[in-house]
Every structure is written in C-alpha cells, then in structure tokens.
C-alpha cells in the first residue's frame, strides 16, 4: 500500500495539500514551458540513500530540468526519508510506501502517478545512475515513442547491456539475450547514432504517453527482475520500436554484478520471472516448454551445483510462473 505521507513540498502523495487543494507544481500538472514535451522522471529507491542523493544531484544539473521527479521510496529503513525531507528541489515529489513493493511495484506506481499527472514523456530511472547534463536534451530531440539512454561506467567504458537480440524463437537458447549493445559495439564511439533494441533496463528508459495508453503499466507481480524486459516485449508487440541513443549518456555508479545467488531468495525471482517471460512470449510450444526443461536440468544437477536450495527455488519458480502466463491488461485502468 502507498502511505499518505507528505511529499517533499508539503503536499500529499497524490499532489494535494493537507486541506485537499492542489499545490503549485504538483504531479497533477503535466504542462511544460517553451512548447516542449513535459517530462516526469520516475525513480524507485530502497536503502541506497547516498546513491540516490548523487542521482538527484545529477537530475538537478540537467541543462533542461525535468518537470517532476517522482521518487518512490520502497519503505527504506536507512536514512532515505531524512535525505529526501532535507532536499529543496522544486520538482521533487516523494511517495513512501508502507511496504517494499520491489522495483516492479515501484515503477508501476510511479508510471501510474506520471500518467495521472498528464506528463508527455516518462523517464524511468534506478537510483544508481547519474545522467550527463545534456542527457535529457538529447532524448527530447528524438521524435520517437521509446528511447533508451546508453550507460557507461564511472571510467567512461560502455556498459550498456540492453539486448539487440532477445531470442524467444530458439528452444535451445538457454539465455534468450544473445546480443547486446556492449558486445556489439564495444565503445560508444563505435556505435551509430541510434541502435534498435529488443529489450531494455529501467535505467534510462523513456516512453511517451501513447505507449502507456497502448500497453498499460509495468507489471508489479514481477517484484524484481525482468519487469523491464516484459514491458519492452509488450511495447514491441504493440508496434513500438525502441531506440538506444548513443549521445544520451547515463553513468552507472556501481559495477554490474551479474552473478546472483540462485540458491538465495533472489534466485527464486530470477527463475520465476525468466520462466514467465518464456510462457508469455515464447514463439513456439517448444520455447514455452523450455522452463520445464531448465527446471529439470537444475534439479538433476543440484548435487553438483546449487544444492537443494537452488533445486527448491527452481521447482517453486516453474510452478509459480504458470500463474503469470497472461500479461496484465493493455490499459492503464
């Protein structure tokens, strides 16, 4: 549930003040000056206050400021609440949830708020990235419905892992991501101005209202992992093309760690959500059968790798994924 705690400007999380009137610059006003499209940034955070602070500083340094930054604080237990209360950014709106909704639930809530606020473009951000000062200008110059900023690490090395090929046709491909920006091009300088993508991360992904109108909100049932993949699949299936924009620079503050503990609690979500994507979008019966084959292989190999904990995770995951076979409604309502 979303708390009715106040936003950073003293208004409630639905953009109204305590007496029910609408505050100046509230989420309910999606207009932008100068004739440009209005932009709401949606940021989801959990217990990473120091990273969030740097990220918000980066948004404040943009040459074109966003019209609103909607921070979903997923019931953080560190000093996130105090940090946000102390910031004076005029565009900052904070919603603190009563429980951790996961990244998927947080982005679903934030996109809903941006939609209700009437914003033209919605820019999704994790709390561990910082945009270059001209990043928003570069994206707004593109007349496309789905855009992705291109990530690099703090040393300036390209680390954009969004897929240029996400193969749900081959039942023998254990990992459907078979190519990505980083491996295709190696460096930002080697990239063309735009690269078409087949999936994205919710770290710099921007959509227009038309996309949300056509495919609805991110699916909160994913909790963590693959919610961004699912949203990109829905967008592409609705006829939208997704473009990574070379000169829209986003800097990751943390190194990528793709080695997750598949025997731990996150392992359940990684397996379940990977399986759900296959069941929803697999392009043949054999591809949709692949989750069961993966689960069987993991269980068979558990004495050699992962042990009983991973085997339990994968069995639970393949059973739970069946309830996620149907995508959410293609409507905001």
């Amino acid at each position: 549930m979303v708390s009715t705690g106040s936003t950073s400007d003293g208004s409630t999380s639905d953009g109204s003040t305590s007496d029910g009137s609408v505050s100046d610059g509230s989420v309910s006003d999606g207009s932008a000056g100068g004739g440009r499209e209005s932009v709401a940034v949606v940021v989801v955070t959990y217990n990473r206050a120091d990273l969030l602070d740097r990220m918000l500083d980066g948004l404040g340094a943009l040459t074109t400021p966003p019209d609103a930054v909607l921070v979903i604080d997923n019931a953080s237990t560190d000093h996130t609440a105090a940090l946000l209360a102390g910031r004076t950014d005029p565009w900052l709106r904070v919603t603190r949830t009563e429980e951790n909704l996961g990244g998927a639930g947080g982005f679903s809530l934030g996109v809903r708020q941006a939609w209700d606020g009437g914003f033209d473009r919605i820019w999704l951000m994790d709390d561990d990235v910082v945009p270059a000062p001209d990043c928003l200008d570069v994206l707004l110059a593109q007349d496309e419905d789905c855009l992705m900023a291109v990530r690099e690490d703090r040393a300036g090395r390209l680390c954009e892992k969004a897929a240029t090929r996400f193969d749900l046709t081959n039942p023998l491909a254990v990992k459907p991501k078979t190519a990505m920006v980083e491996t295709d091009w190696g460096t930002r300088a080697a990239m063309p101005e735009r690269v078409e993508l087949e999936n994205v991360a919710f770290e710099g992904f921007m959509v227009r209202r038309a996309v949300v109108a056509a495919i609805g909100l991110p699916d909160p049932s994913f909790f963590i992992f693959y919610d961004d993949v699912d949203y990109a699949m829905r967008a592409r299936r609705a006829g939208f093309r997704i473009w990574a924009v070379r000169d829209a620079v986003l800097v990751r503050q943390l190194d990528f760690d793709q080695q997750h503990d598949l025997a731990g609690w996150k392992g359940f979500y990684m397996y379940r959500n990977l399986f759900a994507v296959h069941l929803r979008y697999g392009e043949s019966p054999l591809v949709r059968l692949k989750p069961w084959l993966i689960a069987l292989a993991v269980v068979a190999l558990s004495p050699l790798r992962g042990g009983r904990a991973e085997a339990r995770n994968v069995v639970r995951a393949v059973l739970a994924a069946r309830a996620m076979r149907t995508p959410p409604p293609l409507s905001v309502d």
Side-chain angles (χ1 to χ4, degrees), residues 202-213:
F202 282 167
E203 292 188 356
F205 184 47
M206 175 182 282
V207 296
R208 278 181 166 146
R209 286 184 68 81
V211 179
V212 183

Side-chain angles (χ1 to χ4, degrees), residues 159-173:
C159 64
E160 183 49 67
K161 300 184 183 299
T164 54
R165 178 64 177 142
F166 196 80
D167 187 359
L168 290 173
T169 65
N170 181 4
L172 300 179

Side-chain angles (χ1 to χ4, degrees), residues 106-294:
F107 281 116
S108 183
L109 174 60
V111 173
R112 157 65 76 178
Q113 291 181 353
W115 169 268
D116 289 345
F119 294 95
D120 299 315
R121 298 210 199 196
I122 304 170
W123 197 13
L124 307 181
M125 294 263 195
D126 214 343
D127 56 11
D128 61 353
V129 292
V130 175
D134 66 346
C135 187
L136 181 55
D137 291 315
V138 172
L139 292 174
L140 287 174
Q142 301 287 323
D143 185 16
E144 298 288 349
D145 293 312
C146 297
L147 297 169
M148 182 75 189
V150 175
R151 294 169 289 176
E152 62 184 39
D153 64 20
R154 287 170 295 174
R157 294 181 294 254
L158 183 68
C159 64
E160 183 49 67
K161 300 184 183 299
T164 54
R165 178 64 177 142
F166 196 80
D167 187 359
L168 290 173
T169 65
N170 181 4
L172 300 179
V174 176
K175 296 181 179 180
K177 184 195 290 188
T178 57
M180 55 187 172
V181 173
E182 178 185 68
T183 53
D184 283 352
W185 304 104
T187 67
R188 190 181 299 271
M191 291 177 61
E193 182 181 357
R194 302 196 312 189
V195 173
E196 189 161 9
L197 301 177
E198 294 194 357
N199 79 13
V200 301
F202 282 167
E203 292 188 356
F205 184 47
M206 175 182 282
V207 296
R208 278 181 166 146
R209 286 184 68 81
V211 179
V212 183
I215 69 173
L217 304 172
D219 186 349
S221 70
F222 278 84
F223 192 69
I224 55 171
F225 304 127
Y226 288 97
D227 52 322
D228 38 20
V229 172
D230 177 80
Y231 207 57
M233 294 296 300
R234 286 155 57 194
R236 291 179 57 237
R237 291 197 167 204
F240 297 100
R241 301 175 74 180
I242 304 172
W243 298 98
V245 182
R246 179 194 61 205
D247 297 331
V249 178
L250 204 62
V251 181
R252 285 196 107 249
Q253 301 303 293
L254 300 175
D255 294 333
F256 272 104
D257 179 9
Q258 303 289 4
Q259 303 302 315
H260 295 288
D261 178 12
L262 295 176
W265 70 270
K266 289 184 178 181
F268 165 74
Y269 289 104
M270 290 200 74
Y271 275 127
R272 185 199 66 168
N273 297 348
L274 173 65
F275 295 162
V277 167
H278 279 79
L279 294 176
R280 287 182 178 185
Y281 308 113
E283 297 186 20
S284 73
L286 286 176
V287 173
R288 294 190 293 274
L289 181 64
K290 191 164 64 171
W292 299 94
L293 299 178
I294 293 174

Side-chain angles (χ1 to χ4, degrees), residues 63-82:
T63 52
T64 295
D67 299 281
V69 176
L70 313 179
V71 174
I72 309 299
D73 175 9
N74 254 334
S76 295
T77 57
D78 65 354
H79 57 290
T80 295

